[in-house]
Amino acid sequence: MVFEPVHCPTCESTNIVKHGKTAEGKQQYKCRNPECTRHSFVQEYSYRGYLPTVKQQICEMALNGSGIRDTARVLKISPTTVLEELKKDRHLEHVNRPLLEQLKPTSAIVVKHIKEAEADEMGSFVHSKQQERWLRHAIDHQTGYVLAYVLADHTDQALVELKALLEPFGVQTFYTDGWGAYARLVDEDQYVVGKWNTQKIERKHLTLRTRIKRLARKTICFSKSEWLHDIVIGLFINRYEFGRAV
């Protein structure tokens, strides 16, 4: 007789114990790995939406141009399940902390400065075209790495928030478009207006509009809430730009 060990679907640990049964009579298990975040699980779920692989696919499809109902149809689950999975708290960052850590020298306190950064904004909508939502972010002019981002209305306050996030990087020169907030909030000798030096960030915009359905031009795939809109965009930036496992 061959016994196969039970693996935790989250951490792959085999330190598993039985943990009662579900209302349907299925055996539940509990992971005893102290670093694992999963409370309990079963090996065979009746509803596909509970499967870890399906939950992972929900995020992957959201970050590759699929809407809520598209994902639900393909994975054969409820749209509510898709929404609940996307709304989970994933501790998203608005500043590229992994890059910030790399810039810190080992024997000094001051962070190495990034001399030049490109800053721009990209408009989208929430619920309808009457409710605009803007992504404002900045990238390193030399490497193209995203430094920080803000999702907000098209107001000067958004630039104030972005500048606060960029402060640790010590950016000396901003390459921007002609939006008036830069003239109001940035020293005249610290920013340069023109498309010639913002090609990298414009290319980032094209990638975002291609990969995220909510950002496609002339789309009707709006999020119904700012919260969900910000989560999907934040997931993409945190995973593919900041390199975080979210």
Side-chain angles (χ1 to χ4, degrees), residues 151-244:
L151 287 156
D153 299 330
H154 200 250
T155 61
D156 288 7
Q157 181 59 32
L159 183 56
V160 171
E161 294 177 12
L162 182 62
K163 283 185 63 183
L165 292 173
L166 293 172
E167 187 174 353
F169 293 100
V171 179
Q172 299 173 12
T173 303
F174 290 93
Y175 297 120
T176 71
D177 57 16
W179 186 42
Y182 295 108
R184 293 187 290 270
L185 299 173
V186 182
D187 293 338
E188 186 177 356
D189 59 346
Q190 283 190 313
Y191 76 97
V192 178
V193 177
K195 292 291 185 180
W196 182 257
N197 292 310
T198 58
Q199 295 179 4
K200 284 189 177 71
I201 199 166
E202 293 289 355
R203 185 60 184 82
K204 293 280 187 185
H205 288 179
L206 178 58
T207 299
L208 286 166
R209 291 194 187 280
T210 303
R211 295 283 296 274
I212 302 178
K213 194 170 185 178
R214 292 160 178 79
L215 298 178
R217 294 186 184 277
K218 298 184 179 179
T219 183
I220 59 172
C221 186
F222 305 137
S223 293
K224 291 185 178 180
S225 68
E226 290 183 355
W227 185 28
L228 181 59
H229 179 89
D230 293 358
I231 283 176
V232 173
I233 297 173
L235 273 172
F236 186 95
I237 295 175
N238 272 254
R239 178 179 294 185
Y240 296 111
E241 299 294 349
F242 295 171
R244 299 182 63 238

Side-chain angles (χ1 to χ4, degrees), residues 99-119:
L99 176 60
L100 200 56
E101 291 297 324
Q102 292 178 17
L103 293 174
K104 289 183 179 179
T106 56
S107 60
I109 299 176
V110 180
V111 175
K112 294 180 182 178
H113 289 178
I114 290 178
K115 294 182 179 180
E116 302 170 323
E118 300 176 25

Side-chain angles (χ1 to χ4, degrees), residues 3 7 25-26 29 42 52 68 75 77 82 91 132 136 148-149 167 169 187 213 218:
F3 293 94
H7 294 268
K26 293 185 176 182
Y29 298 92
V42 299
I68 300 300
L75 299 181
I77 56 178
V82 179
H91 306 289
E132 294 184 345
R136 181 170 304 283
Y149 75 97
E167 187 174 353
F169 293 100
D187 293 338
K213 194 170 185 178
K218 298 184 179 179

